[in-house]
Amino acid sequence: MNMRIFIVWLCLLAALRLLLPVTAADAAGGEAKPPEEARKFYLPANPRAAAYMLGRLSNKELLQAPRVEPVFNALLERTGLDSKYREEALTGLATLHKTDRLSELLAALERLDARGTNAAPAIRDLAALLAKSASRDLAEKKLGLETLAAKAEQPLTRRAAFAGWLTAEGKPNPLWDQVARDDTKLVDLVGAVPLLTDAALRASFQPLIAPLAQRAATPELQQLSILALPALKGYEAINYTALAGLIRAGTERISAVRAVLQLPRSFWQKESAGPVAQSLVDYAAKVPADQRTDADFLDAVQLGNDLSLLLPADDGRRIRKALAELGVRVLVLKTLHEQMLYDKTRLVVAAGKPVEIIFENPDSMPHNFVITVPGAREEIGRLADVMMPDADEQGRMFIPKSTQVLFASKLVDPGSTLRLNFTAPTEPGEYSYVCTFPGHWLRMFGSLIVAADVEDYLAKNPEPDAPKLTEWKVADFADDLNRMDRHRSYSSGKNLFSSLGCIQCHQLGVEGAAFGPSLSGVFARWKGDRGAVLEQILEPAKGLDEKFRTQSFELGDENTVVGIVLAEDAEQVTLQTGPSVALIQKIKKASIQSRATQQGSLMPGGLLNLINKDQVLDLLAYLFAEGNADHAFFRHE
Amino acid sequence: MHYRISGLLLSLAFWSVCSTLSAADVSPKLTLKKGDHIALIGNSTADRMQHDGWLETLVVASFPEQDLVFRNLAVTADEVATWHRSENFGSRDEWLKKVQADVVFAFYGFNESFKGDAGLAKFKTDLDAFIKDIRAGDYSGKGSPRLVLFSPIANEKINDPNQPDPAANNANLRKYTTAMAEISGANGVPMVDLFAISQRLYAPMARPGQSLTFNTFMLTEAGNKAFAPEILRDLFGPTRPLGNVEKLRSAVNDKNAEWHARHRTVDGYNVYGGRSKLTFPKAGKDSEKISNFDVMQQEMSQRDVKTANRDLRVWAVAKGGDRKVDDSNLPAVEKLQSNKPDIKPFLSGEEAIQHMTVPKGCKVTLFASEEQFPELASPVQMAFDTKGRLWVAVWPSYPELRPTDTVKDKLLIFEDRKGTGKADTMTVFLDGLNCPTGFQFYKDGVLVMQAPDLWFVRDTDGDGKADWKERVLMGMDSADSHHTANAMVLDPGGATYLSDGVFHRTQVETAIGPVRNSDGCIYRFEPVTGKFERYVPYGFANPHGRVFDHWGNDIITDATGNENFFAPAFSGYLESGKHKGMQQFWKRPSRPCPATAILSSRHFPEEFQNNFLNVNVIGFQGIFRVKVSESGSGLTGETIPDDLVKSDDPNFRPIALGVAPDGSLYFCDWAKPLIGHMQHHIRDPNRDKQHGRIYRMTYEGRPLLPPVKIDGQSVDALLEVLKTPEDDVRTRAKIELGKHDSAKVIAATQEWMASLDRKDPAYEHHKLEALWVHQWQNVVDESLLKQMLRSPDHRARAAATRVLCYWRDRVKDPLSLLKVQVVDSHPRVRLEAVRACSFFTTREAGDIALMALDKETDPNKPDYYIKYCLDETLKQLDKYMTKN
């Protein structure tokens, strides 16, 4: 700590003793919230301790903190704060230190620069503030800018300094000539150009940078030159042509792709769109499957798709189809904490196509992901059970050496994520994926559906885990309800009755709970009308018996309770708020502010959305048979 | 035979009758009807009544024709407005309905009282709401229940310097009792003033130095015996309990034990909670599925019927007759097939050794197996006592007892009297247990975890079998039985630790207020003082492993992920919530791990010394060796490639281990083909209940250590034992010292310290042991503490800082001492100081903790553990820091 800062600290400490703890309301001139709601702050006198304490505040809390030096520093150095707070901090520090805004800005950049790459977002914000400063003010700080441009550790800081320096100069030369022979400095200077706020100043670099975009001493210099081109106002058309040429030639293609994406669409040229797009298709086809989720690939595909829109309809479609086929299906699969399950029981992939699975493991034990040929899950699981935990040559454990294993991941540690890239089998079918950590295969598995056409498969087999569910309507079953009386699955119906939760609220014979209406004889009540019974399930609120209509009660404590009234007397209402005895509540009438009968039912709609037609029919058959396994509907000749 | 009470009790009862007769209103507060069901709810006063049975016995004996049904629903640490239970346990109303309560005895106010004046208004409101709520209920179908309120008992001043002075809390208890009287009066509900009764009963006991509680607030069996007639008379006026009271009480207790096993069933998360919903094929692949819930609720029905069967006997005995309990009427429990039919046949205990790979020089032999000792089935915990005998808890009932099981879990003692390296004698110390997940020696007995309580059990007549027990802690949840409080170790200063896992809702009553926690936590318990607190509340799944090293640093292991933590950093005080995620101290190659140890034994060569041992039961089935070294403020571990044991026998599941008095290493094999709690049905028939082995590892060519004599040794001799390098030997010496008179131990320790050779390289450790003896004996020596805080060895300074933390209430100006420790030259000491600050309640403590930052060379890259601990300390102190 230099002496000046130290003295300031001493002054500040004295101030702090008087100031703190203060409330946010005090800091804001007592105008904001009433004092009891305001957060209280305590800043220790020790500077390190103060910085640490501020580090514990969220951005929102920090904004409420009293404006003292460590708070100003934090406002400058934190990631994610609006530039108005940065400006406020600069002004505040300048007043405290009796300096000026730019000195404080440079000092802050210096501090942040020493802090490593974590500080990059804040440096970026401060760089923008620096570039926005008036050239007259910057001219006074040329020495400081020069030092920072030369000595800063992080490229971003150096480029910000160069941008300030250039703004002070107002023209590329003589600075350009000064650094032209030093490749590393030239890189920073070129990198500073897009940071300049003065468009004319930027444009004046066209004759210097355009040649470097074609040919430069180092790839880095060429890349930065290419990326600077879109910033050069007035040269968009000529630069587009140059960039299109680079893409077709495959010279620094990805930089050129990104530069084109930065150029306004109005400058994109129809004439070259076809060949450029085609060259991107050709490039994409050569990218290995496991790199097809990288940003480079995705940017190239985006430009190809965007360019295809400039082409005649058929040509455009051809390009898009080609790019789509090269794309990788990306699926997210997670484990469930303390459940020993994956979060999905089915994954659908295209035969022979690359797939990426982002496998997240938030569980507290490691799991893996192994694909087996159809029907081999159990065998592979049992083989893995007796394996020693020795890593194979790929560092994987518990992976039986078997031709039935098509793909296997390493164990993914708790809290970790692994990207798994593989190519789906060419033969469509129902494969398995399973965790082979010993014992886990019993529970932790799912079906890997390999389909010739994924969209087609999904259309025919609604995905249980997909957010798009089938919102069944009675009409969907117009041709199916007669299939209810033959070859139904008893076990499917029985399982659905409990797994869908029917059993939690309804009685059927001896099963279930008597919260909702009994389902014994439900078909008889609807005179055998299957559609009507189905409609009751699909739209529970329709024609609901008054007795089961829910009522809502607003209580004095701003709570609203909704439920079915079980009993009511002069003093209280007994409410069933859900399918458990634990959810019976008693409300004192005195506490009820208002009550209303609701149109809805406690039974959720959409209970059948996750299941398919045959399962719906199995459930209806089970209700019809009232749980009797020997019912004719379940007979299979 | 007519009811006769003991001479002492008779005179007591007579005394109290005389002293209160003139003022007492003798008209009955409560009238009982034939067939009434009486439910007890509330705190430990009620909870403990079910185990002693005195009040119930006297009531039943007074009304023998009424066929009364008592069901105790009390849970220690309950308050009138709390219901801290594991998932889906059921509400208070549901349980009152289940037991069809006609009469409700409600015991509240003790746990509430710790909020003092500030909590009085809320207590009154809550109590009023409770009364109205209960009265609005109809649990029996016969209308509103008859409610009786019971005030808290007073805390007793007992003749034990280690117990707190009850005066302060008695002032509160008196206010809460008055508040209860006010609210009960306003509602016209009868109340029994236990506070007044207790004050009357304590006084005559105090004169000869006796007491009715063991910890100032929990009634002993004798306490309950003294209270029962007083309560009886207060409720019903003069009554005359008839019949053979002891016989009746035995029938009552038998019934209550059955009910306790039902109401407080272990493994609740699998019986009624989240995992009870897991389903498994009933009869092989693709067959209909059956859930844990289905089967376990059938077992619960059996327990209901067993309880009711015992009511019949209670009624018969009350009427002067008797009746054999007949459980032939139990409902059936569904049987299922295993979902793991392909189990590998067991190898014999000897054969299994051939499947173990061990480092060169190490040799494994079989010490004991179920082949020789059928009781050795499913060993789960082990420890050597001061006589050098090996104690083993066995858990054949895993995951828990069935209602119809005849073989119960046990605590066994193995001896190798002939010195052959094989067990030749086995004694069953304690039988009839259910899930004995932890035990630890204390004074002349043993603390045994028997959920939901921790028992102190002793063998007073020396026949090797338990004959005396007291429930010293109550309310340890066991919603998932396999991580019920376990891994009980002693720290060098005599506190013991209980590791408790996820899903649990533990709540424990202490003399300074209730302690509650949701999910995983390590608790710290000082058996000498009864102090109990959350030590590491953390997002543990199943914390099992627990060790302290030579200098008192602890390593905590979460079994599920085999995550091993350097514990000083995350054991600071946190009033509520849990600590944030912390890095592991060692990159473990595999999981899961049921136990850990430190190999502290000169029998093994140098490179084995103080290895951290970590057992593993799936995949890698064996014992990892870990080299531990200092790193910054913490410790760091490194796997030694030469594993201590590695077996390819799929049934080998090492589960507990420890160093024997002769320096050899013993380890228990759970010996099971299937072990998962979740992968298989709770009642999967292939859960083995027969096998268990104990192995012994020696190092060939190196002599065994001569066992150090501990049992029966003099204080002076025991102090000399504290110079032994082996950690467990010193611990056993301190356990033995615990049997001796504290004043004598302390005097001798002072002399021993003076006699120590200052040039001894272990001098600082010996002195540290002297400090730990003081801590163990609960005697503060401020001057010794200050010496050790400035010891030349940073490890001793760190350990002394820990002692300071636990003596902070009895040392002059502890914060000024911490101010020095927090800027110590060594980061480990600074870490302990930051940790200690979290236990204070002032801004100054926070400022002192922050001083640790000044010693960081780069404030942008602070020491990991210091930063972590500082974050957590300030999280706790924030409210004091911002206080005006």
Side-chain angles (χ1 to χ4, degrees), chain A residues 170-472:
Chain A
K171 54 186 191 298
N173 268 316
L175 190 50
W176 183 278
D177 286 342
Q178 273 175 37
V179 301
R181 273 181 302 276
D182 183 337
D183 286 338
T184 49
K185 283 192 175 157
L186 193 55
V187 162
D188 287 335
L189 186 57
V190 170
V193 171
L195 299 176
L196 298 171
T197 41
D198 179 348
L201 180 59
R202 287 202 308 268
S204 62
F205 280 87
Q206 170 74 14
L208 298 167
I209 289 182
L212 290 176
Q214 294 300 329
R215 189 189 166 88
T218 65
E220 193 188 11
L221 184 57
Q222 185 173 8
Q223 287 158 13
L224 282 170
S225 301
I226 290 169
L227 289 169
L229 293 180
L232 308 180
K233 273 264 161 61
Y235 298 94
E236 287 90 346
I238 183 174
N239 284 340
Y240 178 86
T241 309
L243 291 167
L246 289 171
I247 293 171
R248 289 179 63 185
T251 310
E252 294 299 341
R253 180 188 285 115
I254 295 307
S255 298
V257 163
R258 292 195 175 126
V260 170
L261 286 168
Q262 295 282 315
L263 276 173
R265 301 288 158 112
S266 55
F267 294 102
W268 292 15
Q269 292 154 9
K270 240 178 219 173
E271 308 77 62
S272 63
V276 175
Q278 185 57 48
S279 80
L280 290 169
V281 172
D282 296 344
Y283 155 76
K286 284 189 211 116
V287 174
D290 63 354
Q291 291 168 23
R292 290 189 193 168
T293 49
D294 293 355
D296 288 0
F297 180 87
L298 297 176
D299 284 346
V301 168
Q302 192 195 331
L303 181 59
N305 278 324
D306 290 355
L307 285 170
S308 75
L309 300 172
L310 301 178
L311 298 176
D314 280 354
D315 291 351
R317 207 170 299 126
R318 189 181 51 77
I319 295 283
R320 287 194 294 279
K321 186 164 187 295
L323 289 171
E325 290 205 344
L326 290 168
V328 171
R329 190 168 170 78
V330 179
L331 301 164
V332 178
L333 183 70
K334 298 180 188 178
T335 63
L336 297 177
H337 188 242
E338 283 289 305
Q339 300 297 328
M340 206 177 280
L341 288 174
Y342 295 113
D343 70 334
K344 297 183 183 67
T345 55
R346 192 184 75 174
L347 297 172
V348 184
V349 297
K353 291 282 156 53
V355 186
E356 175 165 296
I357 291 184
I358 300 172
F359 181 39
E360 291 177 30
N361 181 19
D363 197 10
S364 46
M365 56 176 90
H367 296 290
N368 66 8
F369 175 87
V370 174
I371 299 175
T372 75
V373 299
R377 172 182 67 86
E378 192 169 332
E379 187 183 333
I380 294 299
R382 289 191 193 284
L383 285 172
D385 267 355
V386 295
M387 286 180 76
M388 299 296 283
D390 297 322
D392 63 14
E393 59 283 355
Q394 295 175 59
R396 307 173 306 181
M397 285 195 251
F398 309 114
I399 310 299
K401 291 219 181 307
S402 160
T403 52
Q404 298 186 319
V405 172
L406 300 181
F407 172 81
S409 78
K410 286 186 182 179
L411 284 174
V412 180
D413 270 335
S416 303
T417 298
L418 205 60
R419 287 173 175 267
L420 312 175
N421 290 93
F422 60 92
T423 302
T426 47
E427 189 64 34
E430 185 171 343
Y431 297 71
S432 291
Y433 59 91
V434 57
C435 174
T436 59
F437 194 96
H440 292 193
W441 63 272
L442 280 162
R443 286 176 55 76
M444 193 161 174
F445 57 86
S447 298
L448 182 80
I449 306 292
V450 175
D453 183 330
V454 171
E455 298 313 319
D456 184 51
Y457 180 88
L458 288 177
K460 288 178 184 151
N461 303 275
E463 191 153 24
D465 50 352
K468 275 185 198 156
L469 310 164
T470 320
E471 296 212 6
W472 293 117

Side-chain angles (χ1 to χ4, degrees), chain B residues 403-420:
Chain B
T404 49
D405 275 340
T406 48
V407 175
K408 313 240 167 128
D409 304 333
K410 300 173 181 63
L411 193 51
L412 309 176
I413 304 173
F414 289 91
E415 287 170 86
D416 169 16
R417 290 184 180 173
K418 298 191 195 111
T420 58

Side-chain angles (χ1 to χ4, degrees), chain B residues 24 43 64 66 75 123 130 221 326 328 597-598 670 674 715-716 802:
Chain B
N43 53 37
Q66 304 286 56
V75 171
F123 176 62
F130 164 77
E221 191 265 333
D326 177 8
S328 61
I598 285 178
W670 176 248
L674 80 185
V715 171
D716 290 337
R802 175 72 65 104

